[in-house]
Amino acid sequence: MRKKELIEKKNDLITRAEAIVQNAKSEVRELTDDEAKELAEIKDDVKAIKKKLLASDVEEMADDKEKKEDDAPKEEEEEKDTAEEEKRAFENYIRGTVMHERAGELTKTDNGALIPSTIVDMIIKKVYDICPILEKSQQFNVKGTLQVPYYPADANNINVAYANEFEELTSSTGKFSSVTLTGFLAGALTKISRSLINNAQIDIVSFVVDEMAYSIKRFIEGELLNGTDSKVTGLSTLKNGIESASATAITADEVIQLHDSIKDEFQGNAIWVMSPATRTALRLLKDGNGRYLLQDDVSAPFGTTLLGKPVYVTDNMSDIAKGKTAIYYGDMSGLATKFSEEINIQILREKFATQHCDGVVGWFEFDAKVIDEQRIAKLTIKSA
């Protein structure tokens, strides 16, 4: 018997039982022996039908699970096939191979072709992988202007005090500020040699992904660390920090001071950011017991640690020079980044044909500002 028929039969039996009970009530009498016997039979029949329905539900659940398990590999395989097809189409376009009409063909424009989403996702992922400042920042992906509220480090927001019953607590008003994130258009251009493209031994897709990711990373990271007047300010407006006593060197005491300028509650995800030359200078620093402050650590995210925290090195940071910021330290979630426009990447073939190369251009719109100065501090070299 099908599930629908079982449900209908159960409902009929329940309706019959209700009618027997209601009839006895309306006549103001007890149930007869025959009525009591019929009710007992109905109860047993309903109980048996419920067991059958439960078994039917379990079978349906098992069928659904089996169907989902069967469909999951198919969906994964389809996604994988689409990714491989787009990758082949992208490689064929770059190398100039004739392409047939199919789902993986690139969208043509007047001056080239748009890179498929599979390749763009690979580039964006690589940008985040190789740019820890961006990856660790507080990220927003929204269009238009964004107001991000925050409490200043020195704000006395909430009063906590002893109190007595039946007495009013003294209230306090949080004095919060806000940071406005807009959007500034930026572009990254990488040119790739046609001789390299025509070399069949080279994995040209991986090469383009790497080159484009590094171009975008280098620009975004430079703006996050140094900022540009009237554009993205990044960490350039940060006030929390210390100044070195010397215009040409950094001492071990100053490194410790910078470390301790961040409260313990924000130390968990803190990192050091500096140039290669600054790291070399810090390798020579020792504590009061003659131990080097900077240690090589293969288990650390970037291979070296300073006072137990990872050291990230980048050419976007200034070396030790008068008036320059030589080191940032802290939790980079104190920096907010906003992307108004998703990264759009395009291959330009005709534009650079006279240079025997292809261009890969990426456009994006972003902004970045400090929203929590308690989390990040800087060491600035003395001006004179």
Side-chain angles (χ1 to χ4, degrees):
M1 188 177 292
R2 292 181 302 177
K3 183 177 179 180
K4 182 180 179 181
E5 294 172 346
L6 287 172
I7 293 173
E8 290 176 350
K9 184 176 180 181
K10 181 192 71 171
N11 293 338
D12 290 343
L13 289 171
I14 292 172
T15 301
R16 172 57 184 160
E18 290 173 344
I20 292 172
V21 173
Q22 187 61 35
N23 187 47
K25 282 183 178 181
S26 62
E27 295 177 3
V28 192
R29 62 176 176 81
E30 298 292 332
L31 295 172
T32 65
D33 291 341
D34 290 339
E35 289 173 335
K37 182 180 178 182
E38 186 177 358
L39 283 176
E41 291 175 351
I42 289 174
K43 183 179 179 182
D44 290 341
D45 290 343
V46 169
K47 189 175 181 179
I49 291 173
K50 286 183 176 180
K51 286 182 178 180
K52 290 181 181 179
L53 288 172
L54 179 60
S56 176
D57 289 339
V58 171
E59 288 178 359
E60 288 181 2
M61 289 169 61
D63 291 341
D64 289 342
K65 181 181 178 182
E66 185 177 348
K67 184 176 183 299
K68 288 179 180 178
E69 290 175 349
D70 289 341
D71 291 343
K74 292 179 182 177
E75 292 175 0
E76 291 177 1
E77 194 65 31
E78 288 176 359
E79 290 178 1
K80 185 178 179 181
D81 290 344
T82 300
E84 288 297 324
E85 191 171 355
E86 289 184 346
K87 186 175 179 180
R88 285 195 302 271
F90 177 57
E91 182 174 1
N92 288 339
Y93 181 81
I94 294 176
R95 294 191 188 279
T97 307
V98 177
M99 294 165 43
H100 300 288
E101 292 293 332
R102 59 179 184 272
E105 187 170 359
L106 306 185
T107 302
K108 302 288 182 59
T109 65
D110 292 339
N111 194 33
L114 296 176
I115 295 182
S117 59
T118 300
I119 309 299
V120 174
D121 290 344
M122 290 170 62
I123 294 173
I124 294 172
K125 181 181 182 302
K126 184 116 185 164
V127 170
Y128 279 87
D129 288 345
I130 62 180
C131 187
I133 314 300
L134 174 61
E135 189 270 330
K136 294 177 181 295
S137 68
Q138 193 168 159
Q139 300 158 25
F140 301 92
N141 294 303
V142 294
K143 296 183 182 298
T145 300
L146 175 67
Q147 295 278 349
V148 182
Y150 74 97
Y151 280 115
D154 57 351
N156 185 16
N157 301 318
I158 300 175
N159 292 331
V160 179
Y162 290 108
N164 297 316
E165 287 185 311
F166 307 112
E167 291 183 2
E168 293 288 342
L169 285 173
T170 302
S171 65
S172 60
T173 302
K175 298 178 181 178
F176 67 86
S177 300
S178 64
V179 166
T180 302
L181 294 171
T182 56
F184 299 96
L185 185 65
L189 175 64
T190 296
K191 291 191 285 188
I192 306 168
S193 163
R194 288 301 308 174
S195 298
L196 179 65
I197 292 172
N198 294 332
N199 188 339
Q201 307 301 318
I202 299 295
D203 182 355
I204 195 64
V205 174
S206 296
F207 181 84
V208 170
V209 168
D210 289 346
E211 287 295 301
M212 200 66 214
Y214 277 105
S215 294
I216 295 174
K217 171 258 184 183
R218 185 171 180 79
F219 175 81
I220 291 178
E221 184 182 80
E223 294 304 292
L224 298 184
L225 294 174
N226 306 310
T228 297
D229 291 341
S230 75
K231 299 290 184 182
V232 175
T233 58
L235 293 174
S236 66
T237 60
L238 185 69
K239 295 182 177 61
N240 185 25
I242 64 172
E243 184 180 70
S244 67
S246 168
T248 57
I250 299 171
T251 66
D253 288 348
E254 288 165 349
V255 172
I256 294 171
Q257 279 182 297
L258 181 64
H259 176 276
D260 289 351
S261 65
I262 301 299
K263 295 180 180 179
D264 288 355
E265 60 191 289
F266 303 130
Q267 291 277 358
N269 296 316
I271 63 172
W272 300 89
V273 184
M274 63 189 70
S275 73
T278 302
R279 180 178 64 179
T280 300
L282 296 190
R283 281 189 181 277
L284 304 176
L285 297 182
K286 298 179 181 180
D287 62 15
N289 297 315
R291 295 172 299 190
Y292 286 105
L293 292 182
L294 197 147
Q295 300 288 329
D296 291 327
D297 185 355
V298 294
S299 63
F302 313 118
T304 52
T305 59
L306 180 60
L307 300 179
K309 296 301 179 182
V311 178
Y312 174 65
V313 171
T314 171
D315 290 333
N316 278 312
M317 283 295 293
S318 173
D319 295 335
I320 299 174
K322 295 179 180 179
K324 299 293 186 180
T325 297
I327 303 174
Y328 284 114
Y329 175 72
D331 180 353
M332 294 302 154
S333 66
L335 176 69
T337 56
K338 182 180 81 75
F339 282 85
S340 306
E341 178 183 321
E342 294 182 357
I343 297 177
N344 180 291
I345 301 174
Q346 187 176 1
I347 296 289
L348 306 176
R349 296 188 65 183
E350 305 301 328
K351 182 176 178 63
F352 301 102
T354 56
Q355 300 179 30
H356 196 62
C357 62
D358 283 356
V360 184
V361 64
W363 292 101
F364 50 93
E365 188 176 320
F366 81 115
D367 195 4
K369 290 181 181 176
V370 175
I371 58 170
D372 191 348
E373 293 222 0
Q374 298 180 90
R375 296 178 182 268
I376 310 171
K378 64 180 179 179
L379 189 151
T380 304
I381 304 303
K382 187 175 181 180
S383 299

